[in-house]
Amino acid sequence: MLNNSGNVVNFSVSSVKREELSAIAELEKLCFSEPWSEESLTLLLGDKATGFVATEANGRLVGYVGLVSVLDEGQITNIATHPDYRRKGIGKALMERIFEYCKEKGICYLSLEVRDSNKGAIALYESFGFKTVGIRKNFYRFPVEDARVMTAELN
Ligand SMILES: CC(C)(COP(=O)(O)OP(=O)(O)OC[C@H]1O[C@@H](n2cnc3c(N)ncnc32)[C@H](O)[C@@H]1OP(=O)(O)O)[C@@H](O)C(=O)NCCC(=O)NCCS
């Protein structure tokens, strides 16, 4: 696989470790107008949620995904790929790992929110069977925008 600079990208997907939370916070800053802080990520991923990271062979963290679950329901909190590494299959690999995890844990219903204009993320989610089931008006800030609520059922 090639990254946007034309270099080969070899990455692996693994569970988030505490020492990776600051790198995830840096990735959040690069990817979102309202990024999660390291403190919030510590509370979330260090405790309540499950997370997976994509790491390049040289150890650089290039993507992550988070999931909160209760019984058989899960919510994808966020997914992000470093801007220099997009369209190389990292988001897909992270989603595949989340689906694998859900199957292991008996989670059969997934939901998420996404900016209505985020066509790339919506295309990724639709490729995993997510469908739009509702709109949350003015859900996001910076800029203000509606959220699509999307859900998927796992067999
Ligand atoms: C959404 C995001 C995580 C996708 O990550 P990625 O590593 O680039 O995704 P992949 O390379 O695995 O793409 C898998 C598929 O998703 C779809 N896709 C991903 N980005 C797309 C884009 N910009 N436009 C259209 N389709 C896109 C395509 O179907 C793609 O397959 P293809 O490349 O074979 O056509 C990434 O664009 C990102 O981090 N965006 C900023 C953060 C964000 O918006 N997260 C979602 C919050 S709800």
Side-chain angles (χ1 to χ4, degrees), residues 32 79-81 86-92 118 120 123-125:
F32 298 105
I79 181 167
T81 296
R86 291 189 185 154
R87 298 308 287 269
K88 307 298 168 203
I90 291 174
K92 184 176 176 205
N118 195 344
L124 173 65
Y125 298 142

Side-chain angles (χ1 to χ4, degrees), residues 44-55:
L44 183 77
L45 289 174
D47 186 9
K48 296 186 199 133
T50 304
F52 296 99
V53 289
T55 313

